[in-house]
């Protein structure tokens, strides 16, 4: 049985939801990363992701500039680093370095992979849409990789206020 609710009341019940890290690279080589909850696959041939990234985000600026990024699924062990990445702006700092996370070279794009992630997807920008107040970025997956340790599991957001587990 259902009862009427506001959109905000219903959103409070949507958890758990996925969280990914969008990784970009600044012109000076700094690694930028941002936690994103609004991300999904939108095509399997070719494989594509769509991500909702707020306008003032440095991540969006770098994606627009470089036309490439990495979508990384962080592991449960990365909760603190993911919260940091999602609550700190990267315009003036090296979030990759400060986060303490490990990175390695990607095979196709000039953006690093998150070494201990569950999976990484190297993406090239296809297009950007603005159906509402949040730009939606579509990226085609041009390469992917998975963690060698199959027991490493994904981090998810289990509740309002960034309850990462």
């Amino acid at each position: 049985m259902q009862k009427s609710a506001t959109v905000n009341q219903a959103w409070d019940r949507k958890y758990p939801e996925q969280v990914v890290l969008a990784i970009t690279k600044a012109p000076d080589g700094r690694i930028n990363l941002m936690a994103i909850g609004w991300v999904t696959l939108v095509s399997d041939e070719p494989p594509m992701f769509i991500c909702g990234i707020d306008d003032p985000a440095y991540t969006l600026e770098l994606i627009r500039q470089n036309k490439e990024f990495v979508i990384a699924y962080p592991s449960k062990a990365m909760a603190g680093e993911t919260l940091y990445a999602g609550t700190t702006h990267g315009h003036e700092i090296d979030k990759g370095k400060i986060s303490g996370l490990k990175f390695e070279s990607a095979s196709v794009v000039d953006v690093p992979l998150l070494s201990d992630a569950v999976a990484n997807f190297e993406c090239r920008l296809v297009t950007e849409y603005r159906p509402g107040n949040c730009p939606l970025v579509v990226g085609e997956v041009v390469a992917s990789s998975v963690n060698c340790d199959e027991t490493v599991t994904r981090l998810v957001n289990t509740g309002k206020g960034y309850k990462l587990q």
Side-chain angles (χ1 to χ4, degrees):
M1 175 188 267
Q2 295 285 303
K3 68 177 183 177
S4 183
T6 67
V7 171
N8 286 336
Q9 290 169 323
W11 274 340
D12 286 348
R13 302 281 301 272
K14 67 182 173 132
Y15 300 100
E17 71 178 0
Q18 69 180 344
V19 61
V20 302
L21 289 172
I23 305 169
T24 54
K25 189 173 164 186
D28 62 6
R30 288 179 293 132
I31 298 171
N32 184 67
L33 51 152
M34 175 183 182
I36 300 175
W38 296 348
V39 61
T40 193
L41 295 168
V42 292
S43 174
D44 61 358
E45 191 53 49
M48 289 189 227
F49 281 97
I50 192 166
C51 309
I53 304 175
D54 290 329
D55 245 337
Y58 189 47
T59 299
L60 182 59
E61 181 181 324
L62 291 174
I63 290 171
R64 287 172 173 160
Q65 181 179 336
N66 300 325
K67 311 290 190 230
E68 57 187 20
F69 56 100
V70 168
I71 295 294
Y73 283 84
S75 71
K76 287 185 176 184
M78 298 177 187
E81 294 89 343
T82 301
L83 182 61
Y84 167 77
T87 57
T88 306
H89 296 287
H91 286 83
E92 303 296 326
I93 61 173
D94 188 335
K95 285 170 68 171
K97 187 179 209 177
I98 294 169
S99 73
L101 293 168
K102 292 184 247 169
F103 298 91
E104 59 189 72
S105 297
S107 62
V108 177
V109 300
D110 187 28
V111 176
L113 305 177
L114 183 56
S115 294
D116 297 323
V118 174
N120 285 278
F121 297 88
E122 300 174 43
C123 298
R124 289 219 171 100
L125 180 64
V126 173
T127 193
E128 180 182 327
Y129 296 100
R130 185 181 288 277
N133 69 335
C134 184
L136 300 176
V137 172
V138 178
E140 181 178 353
V141 176
V142 294
S144 57
S145 59
V146 296
N147 196 304
C148 294
D149 182 350
E150 293 183 16
T151 66
V152 174
T153 56
R154 282 179 46 195
L155 179 68
V156 295
N157 183 11
T158 62
K160 190 175 180 178
Y162 312 116
K163 295 178 183 167
L164 301 176
Q165 298 180 357

